[in-house]
Amino acid sequence: MNLKTQQPGDVSRRRFWTTHEVALLERLYPDLATIDVAARLKRPLSAVHSKAKTLSVKKSQAFLAGPLSGRLDGVRGQATRFQKRKEVAQ
């Protein structure tokens, strides 16, 4: 097995969460789009999703009911959905 040992001057890409970042995540995540939270924290989207899940932080009902949630309400996106096949007269 060839494991690379860390040399002096090597920079680890992993960045630990500070208490300030965790507090900001807990405050912003429920009501903002995750991409906006990630931009504010200067963290990858996957890191924000993962940390929110670890902390059991969820989106608020108000956010999930709003247009930014991306959920379909039966009206949004209707114009671009597949249409039912029309009967062909024989």
Side-chain angles (χ1 to χ4, degrees), residues 17-33:
W17 288 81
T18 65
T19 53
H20 175 70
E21 288 176 320
V22 170
L24 203 54
L25 175 71
E26 290 175 329
R27 193 182 77 213
L28 298 176
Y29 188 83
D31 299 313
L32 286 179

Side-chain angles (χ1 to χ4, degrees), residues 28-39 45 48 59 63 68-69:
L28 298 176
Y29 188 83
D31 299 313
L32 286 179
T34 309
I35 196 162
D36 295 333
V37 177
L45 193 59
V48 174
K59 295 291 184 187
F63 178 82
L68 294 177
S69 71

